[in-house]
C-alpha cells in the first residue's frame, strides 16, 4: 500500500492505474477507522480493481463550536488497519493543500434544500462542507466508484444528487451500517460516551426498530415520531429529530392507504452527553 499526502504524488499512481484500465474505487473517510469503515473498504474491494482510502478531517463540514479540534486523529493506526486489509493506496492530504485559501474564500458545492433539513437544520453548513470536500476528492482522485456508509443516510442521498446534478462519472455504492452487538451503530463519536451513557445509547436503534413496527401497524406517523422523541428524552437523550421520510427524496412521509409500497426511511439524531448520535432504519 502506498501512503501519500501530496496531491500530485497521488495522481501519478492514479494515472498509472488508469493507463492499465484498472477500475478505481475511492472510500472517503475522516479516519479513526472502526469496523464500519473497514466494511466500506471491503465492499469497495468487491466493486473495482484498486482501492484508495482518503483520510481527511474536513474543517469545512464542522460548524463553528463543534468537535473539529477534538475529533480523534489516529493516522498511524488507521494506516496499519488498511495495510492489513490489502488496500492499494492511502491518501491523507494536508489541510493547506486541500484548502489553500481561507474557508470563507473557497468555492463551495451546494446541494440546495436537502442540505438544510434534518441534520442540516441542526448543523448549518455541514452538508455544504461535505459536498465540497467530496467534489474535490472526486476531482483529485477521479475514481470510477465511491463507497459511502448507509449510517449517514442523508449524506448518501445528498451525494447521489450532487453526482446526478453535476454529471460526475462516478458510481455511488453504499454499504450497510455496522452495529455493536447491542445494536448501537458504530461511530467514531461513540468514544465520547461515558460508561453509563454507553449503556443507554442502544435505545436509539431500539426506538427506530419499534417505530418501523408501528409504521407497519399503520399508526399515524406524527404519533410515532412524537412518542419516540418523548421516549428518547425519558431515556436521557436530547433528541434533535426523529422523522419518517420518503427514502429517495427525504420528503416528509405520511401514512398511505394500504397497498402503497413507497419506500420509507426513519431517521433520528440525538445528543447523549457530548456525543451526537445519528442512526436510521429502512422501512
Ligand atoms: O462520512 C464521512 O466520514 C465524511 O462526511 C466524508 C464523506 C469522508 C467527507 O468528509
Amino acid at each position: 500500500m502506498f501512503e501519500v499526502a501530496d496531491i500530485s504524488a497521488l495522481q501519478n499512481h492514479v494515472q498509472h492505474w488508469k493507463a492499465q484500465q484498472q477500475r478505481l474505487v475511492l472510500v472517503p473517510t475522516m479516519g479513526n477507522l472502526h469496523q464500519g469503515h473497514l466494511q466500506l473498504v471491503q465492499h469497495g474491494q468487491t466493486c473495482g480493481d484498486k482501492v484508495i482510502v482518503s483520510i481527511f478531517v474536513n474543517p469545512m463540514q464542522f460548524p463553528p463550536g463543534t468537535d473539529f479540534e477534538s475529533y480523534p486523529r489516529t493516522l498511524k493506526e488507521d494506516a496499519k488497519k488498511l495495510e492489513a486489509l490489502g488496500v492499494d493506496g492511502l491518501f491523507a492530504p494536508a489541510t493547506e493543500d486541500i484548502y489553500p485559501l481561507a474557508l470563507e474564500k473557497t468555492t463551495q458545492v451546494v446541494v440546495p434544500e436537502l442540505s438544510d433539513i434534518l441534520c442540516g437544520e441542526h448543523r448549518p453548513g455541514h452538508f455544504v462542507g461535505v459536498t465540497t470536500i467530496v467534489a474535490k476528492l472526486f476531482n483529485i482522485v477521479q475514481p470510477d466508484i465511491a463507497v459511502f456508509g448507509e449510517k449517514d443516510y442523508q449524506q448518501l442521498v445528498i451525494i447521489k444528487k450532487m453526482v446526478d446534478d453535476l454529471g460526475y462519472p462516478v458510481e455511488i455504492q453504499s454499504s450497510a451500517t455496522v452495529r455493536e452487538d447491542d445494536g448501537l451503530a458504530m461511530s467514531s463519536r461513540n468514544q465520547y460516551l461515558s460508561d453509563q451513557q454507553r449503556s443507554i445509547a442502544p435505545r436509539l436503534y431500539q426506538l427506530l426498530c419499534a417505530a418501523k413496527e408501528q409504521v407497519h401497524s399503520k399508526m399515524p406517523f406524527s404519533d410515532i415520531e412524537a412518542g419516540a422523541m418523548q421516549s428518547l428524552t425519558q431515556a436521557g437523550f436530547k433528541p434533535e429529530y426523529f422523522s419518517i421520510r420518503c427514502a429517495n427524496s427525504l420528503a416528509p412521509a405520511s401514512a398511505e392507504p394500504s397497498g402503497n409500497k413507497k419506500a420509507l426511511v426513519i431517521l433520528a439524531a440525538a445528543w447523549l452527553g457530548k456525543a451526537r448520535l445519528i442512526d436510521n432504519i429502512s422501512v
Side-chain angles (χ1 to χ4, degrees), residues 28-30 37 56 58 61 126 130 133-134 148 152 155 159:
T29 78
M30 298 205 299
H37 297 108
F56 180 66
N58 172 33
Q61 74 186 71
H126 167 69
V130 170
I133 188 61
V134 171
F148 296 88
D152 295 299
Q155 168 173 285
I159 288 169

Side-chain angles (χ1 to χ4, degrees), residues 1-3 33 38 41 45 53 76-90:
M1 179 181 85
F2 69 76
E3 181 180 339
L33 304 179
L38 302 186
V41 170
Q45 287 172 324
V53 175
K76 262 195 189 151
E77 293 85 341
D78 292 346
K80 279 188 203 146
K81 290 179 187 169
L82 296 174
E83 176 99 65
L85 273 190
V87 164
D88 301 283
L90 166 57

Side-chain angles (χ1 to χ4, degrees), residues 230-253:
Q230 200 181 7
S231 302
L232 282 169
T233 306
Q234 279 162 0
F237 290 84
K238 287 204 176 95
E240 285 185 348
Y241 64 82
F242 192 103
S243 191
I244 305 168
R245 300 276 168 145
C246 297
N248 293 327
S249 65
L250 295 184

